[in-house]
Amino acid sequence: MMSTELHQLSVAELARQLRDKKVSAVETAQHFLTRIRANETLGAFVDLNEDATLAQARAADAALAAGNAGALAGVPIAHKDIFVTKDFATTAGSRMLAGYRSPFDATVVARLAGQGAVTLGKLSCDEFAMGSANENVAVPAVGHKAPEPVRNPWDTSRIPGGSSGGSAAAVAARLAPAASGTDTGGSIRQPASFCGITGIKPTYGRASRYGMVAYASSLDQAGPMARSAEDCALLLSAMCGPDPDCDSTSLDAPAEDFTLKLNDKLDGLRIGIPKEFFGEGLAADVRAAVDAALKEYEKLGAKLVPISLPRTELSIPVYYIIAPAEASSNLSRFDGVKFGHRAKDYTDLLDMYKKTRAEGFGDEVKRRIMIGTYVLSHGYYDAYYLQAQKIRRMIADDFQQAFHQCDVIAGPVAPTVAWKIGEKADDPVANYLADIFTLPASLAGLPGMSVPAGFGSNNMPVGLQLIGNYLQEARLLNVAHRFQQATDFHLRTPGGF
Amino acid sequence: MSLSSADIARIANLARLELRPEESERMLAQINGFFDIVEQMRAVDTSGIEPLAHPLATVAEVALRLRDDVVSEPDNRDANQQSAPAVERGLFLVPKVIE
């Protein structure tokens, strides 16, 4: 195998070649580091540490030689800069954490490393994972002097989606075979859709939140982003499992091998089609690609069942009340005392807090902290926060009603394909509205994924969203994998990469 | 419902954020724009509905887990303070808070 082709291999194939000693982990890591350096204009990576990467690769080679290597031995991956890492800087995309160095690795990072995965570096994301376009990034990418939005490899004048935009762009551009992401309101699924890759957000609580810089704790969930469902299954198997000592909300559900059911037949599968996902807000090009994907499922033996998720539109205000409320609480830890930025000039402690936070946080983060503080404040709590939590239950109940009639739910991930950089940058509400199809599953804590389903206007990728019931990740991945056996959208590479 | 400049100032103080005048103004317009889409939520009849804090409480009892109150980690002070803005002899330095 010529090393120039290594970046075209799937995680599964790369792991096989590493096990068969057709290629070494060091050689693989060097190949990807070279590609990352050659494609710095995308702005996908915010930190590299070649010494640490190569040391991990040498350890993987040693384990492979000794015959005690993990399932992902030598497979390079990169982490969204929301996971804390000992060997790499962790900024969460914020000036607040410029120069921060974590004393420990996030559980997800440690679990992947435990299976032999080699970390290539850290990936750009919206500040504290707040954003849908990766335009809210406040730290410069590797090779850049100033912060810049990540560019979509399919059209570098467009956004990659967010908040896991760096992860999606890196995988799409073949700068990493796979990456970690986090999804609070769609931050894995939407960038996966916009960049033509596959991503899964598992059930809330399946992957530990320990070491994920907290945004909205009742919603945040880690997951893999890769080219195929099979690759996501391999990574997710390593990422999930109880973490009782470190994450009080991690589920007791045992770790699972998500690859076991990938090839199950889809005969008789009932796919629920929520009519609210196909209303007038859905762009015609996205609808055409999604409809074609659903026809493909019918060919594979599935049956389409019309369902209703009547509170889909309400998900937007409900999410944008609950998530900022939790964010305003979580981000109170950034006060300039124990870690992170501290303002230079201040008169007293209160002034230090205010100036530190004014300087350290970007506009979108400040807006969400303000909204969250307001809806939790005396006199407004019942009308906003509690009301949102009640509707959250109604939204979750709607899904349970729907799952009486179907096994999985399918629809678009986003109303449009990726938009131009700057197009919605000054209009926060326009960004919020574009999250409409990913927010419901987030609020309900359900597993959801995005699967490349075709191309829309300007040849931009379109993702199909699949939503399963709690703990049905294996079924979701199976449904996605069978589609990918019959189609090649997930194998398409953006021009120039 | 519409917020006023005084509301923005009050919330910013609660959130410990210093906002420049032009920032406050922009924030006021944007937050009011946001609360326009929140209005539809207030009209929903939620009488008798329990608030949902943990999503899986939809289908099962979710009890927050407790761990034993015992020392589980060694002293790691130097590593934990390596990113602190101001430290002296292992203590975090802050401006004087009492006279």
Side-chain angles (χ1 to χ4, degrees):
Chain A
M1 169 67 53
M2 292 286 291
S3 69
T4 46
E5 291 174 336
L6 282 175
H7 57 274
Q8 295 294 358
L9 298 180
S10 67
V11 170
E13 180 57 28
L14 194 50
R16 229 179 336 264
Q17 297 211 4
L18 284 154
R19 269 196 305 275
D20 295 346
K21 317 259 184 350
K22 288 191 176 145
V23 63
S24 74
V26 167
E27 200 182 334
T28 306
Q30 278 165 337
H31 176 82
F32 280 98
L33 288 171
T34 304
R35 272 188 74 77
I36 291 165
R37 290 288 187 195
N39 290 284
E40 285 176 351
T41 50
L42 283 177
F45 279 82
V46 288
D47 195 38
L48 299 174
N49 177 351
E50 300 201 0
D51 291 344
T53 300
L54 294 175
Q56 290 178 19
R58 281 191 294 273
D61 279 332
L64 284 159
N68 56 6
L72 298 171
V75 174
I77 55 162
H79 290 295
K80 181 178 183 180
D81 198 21
I82 209 85
F83 292 96
V84 302
T85 41
K86 273 193 297 203
D87 294 336
F88 298 83
T90 300
T91 67
S94 183
R95 280 187 297 276
M96 189 60 97
L97 285 173
Y100 175 72
R101 188 59 73 150
S102 170
F104 66 99
D105 281 329
T107 298
V108 161
V109 170
R111 281 191 193 221
L112 286 163
Q115 289 299 319
V118 171
T119 305
L120 291 170
K122 300 295 283 291
L123 295 161
S124 183
C125 60
D126 283 299
E127 185 175 1
F128 292 107
M130 299 182 194
S132 315
N134 222 119
E135 288 177 306
N136 303 331
V137 56
V139 297
V142 172
H144 295 252
K145 287 206 173 67
E148 272 209 55
V150 178
R151 291 170 186 278
N152 190 316
W154 289 91
D155 175 352
T156 53
S157 69
R158 290 174 190 270
I159 56 115
S163 63
S164 311
S167 306
V171 172
R174 306 336 191 209
L175 307 187
S180 60
T182 62
D183 191 313
T184 304
S187 285
I188 287 175
R189 290 161 286 161
Q190 184 253 28
S193 171
F194 283 3
C195 290
I197 64 161
T198 307
I200 181 166
K201 171 197 102 74
T203 306
Y204 173 79
R206 270 221 112 160
S208 171
R209 289 188 296 108
Y210 185 65
M212 260 166 65
V213 178
Y215 159 25
S217 304
S218 79
L219 294 150
D220 293 345
Q221 186 53 213
M225 302 170 78
R227 298 217 291 276
S228 67
E230 183 186 21
D231 288 356
C232 283
L234 280 166
L235 290 156
L236 191 65
S237 304
M239 289 166 84
C240 288
D243 191 13
D245 290 340
C246 296
D247 176 0
S248 63
T249 56
S250 110
L251 295 178
D252 284 326
E256 200 176 317
D257 181 349
F258 293 110
T259 63
L260 292 178
K261 292 179 176 169
L262 282 176
N263 287 303
D264 283 8
K265 288 236 160 56
L266 301 188
D267 294 308
L269 177 80
R270 299 169 303 163
I271 302 181
I273 310 298
K275 64 170 189 276
E276 294 79 4
F277 281 39
F278 293 83
E280 53 183 60
L282 180 63
D285 60 330
V286 175
R287 178 166 192 150
V290 169
D291 282 346
L294 294 173
K295 284 216 171 64
E296 188 65 44
Y297 270 112
E298 288 185 304
K299 279 196 236 160
L300 292 169
K303 211 167 63 192
L304 306 184
V305 184
I307 59 160
S308 175
L309 295 170
R311 292 169 185 88
T312 296
E313 210 177 315
L314 279 169
S315 303
I316 300 168
V318 167
Y319 174 85
Y320 280 100
I321 295 288
I322 290 175
E326 295 183 12
S328 73
S329 169
N330 274 325
L331 271 60
S332 64
R333 76 192 57 176
F334 297 103
D335 58 2
V337 175
K338 291 183 182 145
F339 46 79
H341 176 74
R342 174 185 289 192
K344 274 206 179 64
D345 302 305
Y346 43 82
T347 53
D348 55 18
L349 186 67
L350 185 62
D351 194 45
M352 185 188 92
Y353 289 154
K354 288 185 174 181
K355 288 204 164 71
T356 293
R357 290 162 64 78
E359 294 171 8
F361 292 137
D363 286 349
E364 183 60 28
V365 175
K366 287 180 190 171
R367 259 191 303 278
R368 295 197 196 187
I369 290 175
M370 291 284 288
I371 291 170
T373 304
Y374 178 63
V375 301
L376 291 175
S377 68
H378 182 70
Y380 300 95
Y381 180 87
D382 287 1
Y384 293 114
Y385 183 64
L386 216 54
Q387 174 76 346
Q389 279 195 317
K390 288 176 181 173
I391 303 174
R392 183 179 189 180
R393 180 179 294 275
M394 296 163 94
I395 290 167
D397 287 343
D398 289 341
F399 275 106
Q400 291 313 305
Q401 284 298 319
F403 282 124
H404 288 309
Q405 303 159 57
C406 60
D407 306 303
V408 298
I409 293 170
V413 175
T416 64
V417 295
W419 53 87
K420 293 270 190 185
I421 290 171
E423 195 178 314
K424 297 183 186 179
D426 296 324
D427 189 352
V429 172
N431 278 281
Y432 301 170
L433 295 176
D435 293 342
I436 181 164
F437 301 136
T438 49
L439 297 177
S442 293
L443 288 165
L446 294 165
M449 65 185 298
S450 176
V451 184
F455 293 84
S457 59
N458 299 298
N459 200 36
M460 293 305 291
V462 173
L464 175 75
Q465 182 174 207
L466 297 171
I467 302 168
N469 211 342
Y470 300 113
L471 305 179
Q472 295 290 305
E473 290 83 1
R475 186 60 165 154
L476 271 189
L477 289 160
N478 157 234
V479 171
H481 179 70
R482 294 299 295 203
F483 181 77
Q484 293 183 334
Q485 297 299 294
T487 60
D488 70 350
F489 301 120
H490 64 294
L491 299 175
R492 309 270 184 95
T493 310
F497 297 98
Chain B
M1 188 218 61
S2 218
L3 275 75
S4 66
S5 309
D7 291 322
I8 295 293
R10 182 179 62 85
I11 303 162
N13 178 54
L14 286 174
R16 302 293 186 255
L17 279 174
E18 185 178 87
L19 299 180
R20 297 184 308 276
E22 71 274 15
E23 216 180 348
S24 295
E25 232 169 86
R26 200 172 60 230
M27 188 79 81
L28 176 65
Q30 286 170 334
I31 291 186
N32 276 329
F34 166 69
F35 275 99
D36 286 346
I37 64 168
V38 172
E39 280 309 302
Q40 53 169 327
M41 186 192 93
R42 300 187 67 190
V44 177
D45 180 6
T46 53
S47 43
I49 307 281
E50 278 292 304
L52 182 68
H54 190 301
L56 270 79
T58 321
V59 291
E61 284 277 307
V62 180
L64 280 187
R65 114 176 18 97
L66 298 172
R67 69 177 174 203
D68 293 336
D69 187 15
V70 293
V71 176
S72 58
E73 289 193 43
D75 175 19
N76 210 9
R77 187 171 70 184
D78 290 346
N80 289 333
Q81 289 189 327
Q82 67 183 341
S83 299
V87 178
E88 197 178 297
R89 283 172 289 164
L91 303 171
F92 295 104
L93 296 187
V94 293
K96 193 156 84 170
V97 285
I98 42 171
E99 294 301 327

